[in-house]
């Protein structure tokens, strides 16, 4: 990395938010976001050579697992300078497992570039990301990549974008340049508004006037004054058109489309990059023009910030990437974290991929890295001074994808076990999508992840960052046992071996209590079991309930009645009656029908209409009971069903396959229900 970094400063110090742009690069995995980031950094002079994803030399992807998987797994920030403007490029992962990192990038940005491959049809993943940008209220431009494919035609690619993202109004998605392609490389382009030529284009295409007229009509159509001038035959000047384009872009009424190609050589000119940098500086919003209800961008206000990303540096420890929404952060600034001790800033750095460069301060609107904020976690709000600190909910964390794919792990060695808990705590501080569970029923340590790629990253980081090795083991579902019919049991615990012996006899009846938990009833008459030993019997019964009577699973939903018993004036004891209670319960089980119960979840699946049939069929195959379907939004269906948890262990992966990455589901525990006898027999024998 060091030998590729330009000697020129990659970005100026920000004194005014009008000289700052925060732009998230969004797109499906493999669309070319990281390659585009390299091209923009090269065109801006921040790099002297462009890296590539296949050889693992890009600024954004610096973790070994990113090189192995050939995709980004975390947010990366690459600041560049263009025309005295600092542009923070936020390269976000495109794979669905890392939607939390995507949303972190959207929180930190004021606008988005949706990167779309021109070599493939625009699929549902791209549409889902488009909706993410719209939900975040980010003005969004579209960037076409992979123009070197043999069958690519720019006019068809532009039309596909209009169909996919125009919401029925194709003139809201418009190309701003006419590009010249040769052998898959963009040689140059003509700016349709200003007439400026970029690169080394051929003579203007014959249809340049027609294309410009369409673009001018689209821009003027949203502005009554411009439209009146245009209809009157007036030649609209580029400055007026650019100002109108900016207004409409900020309002989300118009989405520019640009074409790009990577450089033909590591030091060559990337096609379309200069045009894109110009567009960002001219029409993209400043931090002061943010559309949501986060704190206004005022460098003189009290500090209000948020931790966007957290990483562990081998030299400085925890490193927090922070977006400053208001105020100015300097060394020695005391930052308040809700519910935790205040932290004092020691040093500030500007990130450039994984590199860190010293910074004197971070003003409102900018991004900065703060070292050694030991208590800070990704998503945490940070503030300083009143009145902002009075409200711990000043900046809410963004929504995380629900972690629904479990993996059970065990420490590989005693040394690993000693470090595992602390390492997992650090991982969850960095990755809020990861959920850790110490299951009280199965006694397994379970890492809940968003998908298989997320699992791979979590396990890799445990080893590579923290030196902790774990073994994966089969995940166990928390089954239960219950009585299907009533039964009676006689518990006799009599031992004599010199001195005080052990003597306790009790008789129990056990009957089903569906959904009622556990009840213990004392119906002993005549003092057959002394009052002080009745709780001992109950204690023994409860101990046996915890271990089950059939296959080792907890026994639930029964009423146990103590009906009779015997005691000895010398040899009876609390321990003896506990043992007798256990024996009686086991004998009652032998005289009754005991069955296994499995947890059943309520599941809601949101997916495109076209996949509803396949998902319904699959749910039925999973022993699911479909409760109904209803509209879930434009082109979406919401399916509600009850599904046994045993059938959901791999469902996040399988639903993604069924719906081509576009389906999402939630689940919540509903109840335990009887298992089918054939399936129950497998678990009884396995025990």
């Amino acid at each position: 990395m060091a030998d590729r970094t330009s000697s020129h400063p990659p970005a100026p110090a920000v004194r005014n938010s009008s000289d700052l742009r925060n732009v998230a690069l969004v797109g499906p995995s493999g669309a070319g976001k990281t390659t585009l980031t390299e091209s923009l950094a090269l065109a801006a002079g921040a790099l002297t050579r462009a890296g590539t994803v296949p050889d693992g030399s890009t600024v954004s992807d610096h973790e070994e697992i990113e090189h192995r998987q050939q995709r980004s797994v975390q947010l990366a920030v690459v600041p560049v300078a263009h025309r005295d403007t600092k542009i923070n490029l936020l390269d976000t992962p495109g794979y669905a497992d890392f939607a939390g990192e995507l949303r972190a990038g959207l929180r930190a940005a004021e606008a988005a570039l949706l990167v779309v491959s021109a070599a493939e049809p625009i699929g549902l993943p791209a549409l889902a990301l488009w909706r993410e940008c719209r939900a975040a209220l980010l003005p969004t431009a579209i960037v076409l990549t992979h123009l070197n494919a043999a069958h690519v035609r720019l006019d068809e690619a532009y039309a596909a974008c209009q169909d996919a993202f125009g919401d029925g109004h194709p003139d809201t998605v418009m190309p701003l340049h006419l590009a010249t392609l040769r052998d898959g490389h963009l040689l140059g382009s003509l700016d349709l508004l200003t007439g400026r030529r970029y690169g080394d284009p051929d003579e203007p295409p014959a249809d340049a006037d027609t294309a410009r007229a369409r673009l001018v009509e689209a821009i003027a159509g949203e502005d009554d004054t411009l439209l009146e001038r245009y209809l009157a035959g007036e030649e609209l000047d580029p400055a007026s058109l650019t100002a109108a384009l900016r207004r409409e872009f900020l309002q989300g009424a118009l989405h520019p489309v640009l074409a790009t190609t990577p450089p033909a050589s590591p030091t060559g000119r990337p096609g379309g990059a200069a045009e894109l940098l110009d567009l960002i500086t001219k029409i993209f919003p400043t931090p002061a023009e943010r559309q949501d209800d986060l704190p206004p961008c005022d460098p003189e206000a009290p500090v209000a910030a948020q931790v966007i990303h957290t990483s562990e540096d081998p030299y400085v420890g925890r490193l927090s990437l922070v977006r400053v929404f208001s105020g100015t952060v300097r060394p020695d600034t005391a930052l308040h974290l809700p519910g935790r001790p205040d932290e004092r800033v020691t040093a500030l750095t500007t990130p450039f991929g994984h590199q860190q460069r010293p910074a004197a301060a971070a003003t409102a609107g900018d991004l900065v890295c703060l070292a050694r904020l030991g208590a800070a976690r990704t998503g945490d709000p940070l503030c300083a001074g009143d009145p902002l600190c009075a409200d711990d909910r000043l900046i809410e964390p963004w929504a995380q994808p629900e972690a629904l794919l479990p993996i059970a792990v065990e420490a590989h060695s005693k040394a690993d076990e000693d470090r595992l808990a602390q390492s997992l705590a650090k991982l969850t501080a960095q990755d809020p999508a990861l959920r850790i569970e110490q299951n009280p029923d199965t006694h397994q340590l379970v890492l809940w992840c968003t998908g298989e790629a997320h699992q791979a990253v979590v396990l890799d980081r445990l080893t590579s960052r923290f030196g902790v090795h774990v073994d994966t083991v089969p995940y166990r579902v928390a089954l239960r046992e219950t009585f299907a019919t009533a039964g009676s049991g006689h518990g006799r615990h009599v031992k004599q071996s010199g001195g005080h012996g052990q003597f306790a006899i009790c008789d129990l009846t056990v009957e089903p209590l569906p959904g009622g938990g556990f009840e213990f009833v004392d119906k002993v008459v005549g003092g057959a079991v002394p009052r002080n030993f009745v709780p001992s019997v109950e204690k023994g019964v409860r101990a046996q309930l915890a271990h089950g009577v059939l296959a080792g699973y907890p026994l639930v939903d029964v009423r146990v009645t103590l009906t009779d018993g015997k005691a000895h004036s010398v040899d009876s004891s609390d321990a003896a009656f506990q043992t007798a209670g256990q024996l009686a319960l086991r004998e009652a089980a032998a005289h009754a029908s005991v069955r296994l119960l499995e947890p059943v979840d309520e599941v809601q699946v949101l997916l495109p209409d076209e996949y509803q049939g396949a998902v319904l069929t699959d749910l039925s195959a999973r022993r699911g009971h479909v409760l109904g379907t209803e509209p879930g939004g434009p082109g979406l269906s919401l399916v509600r069903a009850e599904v046994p948890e045993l059938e959901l262990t791999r469902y996040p992966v399988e639903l993604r396959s069924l719906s081509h990455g576009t389906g999402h589901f939630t689940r919540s525990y509903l109840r335990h229900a009887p298992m089918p006898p054939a399936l129950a027999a497998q678990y009884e024998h396995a025990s």
Side-chain angles (χ1 to χ4, degrees), residues 105-384:
L106 298 181
R107 172 60 60 88
E110 276 76 51
L113 294 172
L114 179 65
V115 183
V116 177
S117 171
E120 301 173 359
I122 296 174
L124 293 171
L127 294 173
L129 291 168
W130 174 261
R131 288 193 293 269
E132 290 270 6
C133 295
R134 303 290 279 173
L137 304 178
L138 296 187
T140 305
I142 301 160
V143 180
L144 291 170
T145 60
H146 298 167
L147 302 180
N148 58 339
H151 62 280
V152 167
R153 291 185 44 148
L154 269 177
D155 55 346
E156 294 177 355
Y158 290 143
C161 289
Q162 291 174 328
D163 290 342
F165 308 119
D167 296 326
H169 303 282
D171 57 352
T172 63
V173 179
M174 297 295 293
L176 299 186
H177 301 79
L178 281 184
T180 301
L181 277 176
R182 183 179 298 159
D183 298 327
H185 185 67
L186 199 154
L187 299 179
S189 68
L190 173 69
D191 187 322
L192 292 174
L193 289 187
T194 66
R196 176 184 173 183
R197 295 187 186 183
Y198 288 85
D200 301 310
D202 295 332
E203 289 299 314
D207 59 350
D209 291 340
T210 302
R212 185 179 192 278
R214 288 188 59 201
L215 176 61
V216 170
E217 288 177 9
I219 295 172
E222 298 292 329
D223 186 301
D224 291 341
T225 302
L226 276 184
L227 182 60
E228 185 176 330
R229 292 169 56 190
Y230 179 73
L231 293 177
E234 181 180 341
E235 181 68 25
L236 301 179
D237 61 282
S240 297
L241 287 170
T242 300
L245 171 64
R246 186 173 194 273
R247 285 194 301 271
E248 291 161 27
F249 178 65
L250 297 191
Q251 295 167 2
L254 197 147
H255 309 285
V257 186
L258 291 91
T260 63
T261 57
S265 67
T267 57
R269 186 186 69 82
E275 296 93 315
L276 187 50
L277 289 169
D278 277 349
L279 183 73
I280 291 171
T281 56
K282 286 179 181 178
I283 76 166
F284 275 43
T286 70
E289 295 169 309
R290 193 177 181 95
Q291 299 294 313
D292 53 29
D293 57 358
L294 292 173
C297 182
D298 180 359
E300 303 302 323
V303 170
Q306 188 170 31
V307 179
I308 299 299
H309 181 77
T310 308
S311 60
E312 291 288 333
D313 186 276
Y315 302 105
V316 301
R318 182 168 296 182
L319 201 60
S320 302
L321 174 65
V322 172
R323 165 65 199 260
V324 183
F325 290 99
S326 69
T328 300
V329 177
R330 299 181 176 87
D332 292 330
T333 299
L335 295 176
H336 174 68
L337 286 80
R340 277 159 281 165
D342 288 0
E343 302 263 12
R344 187 168 294 278
V345 175
T346 56
L348 296 83
T349 56
T350 297
F352 188 78
H354 76 287
Q355 293 182 348
Q356 299 296 324
R357 299 171 175 180
T363 191
D366 209 353
L367 289 149
V368 69
C369 282
L370 306 179
R372 299 187 180 92
L373 294 186
R377 301 186 293 258
T378 298
D380 278 349
L382 305 171
C383 56

Side-chain angles (χ1 to χ4, degrees), residues 95-99 103 123-129 131-132 401-404 450-451 603-616 618-619 632 635-639 650-667:
Y95 199 64
D97 281 20
F98 309 110
R103 291 170 185 166
L124 293 171
L127 294 173
L129 291 168
R131 288 193 293 269
E132 290 270 6
E402 194 169 357
L404 297 171
T450 57
V603 174
Q604 295 192 3
V605 186
L606 183 66
L607 73 162
D609 293 337
E610 60 197 271
Y611 299 120
Q612 184 188 115
V615 167
L616 290 173
D618 179 72
L619 287 173
L636 299 174
S637 295
L638 181 66
V639 178
R650 299 277 304 165
Y651 193 57
V653 177
E654 287 145 1
L655 174 63
R656 185 170 296 166
S657 176
L658 276 174
S659 64
H660 295 261
T662 59
H664 304 276
F665 80 104
T666 60
R667 55 185 276 189

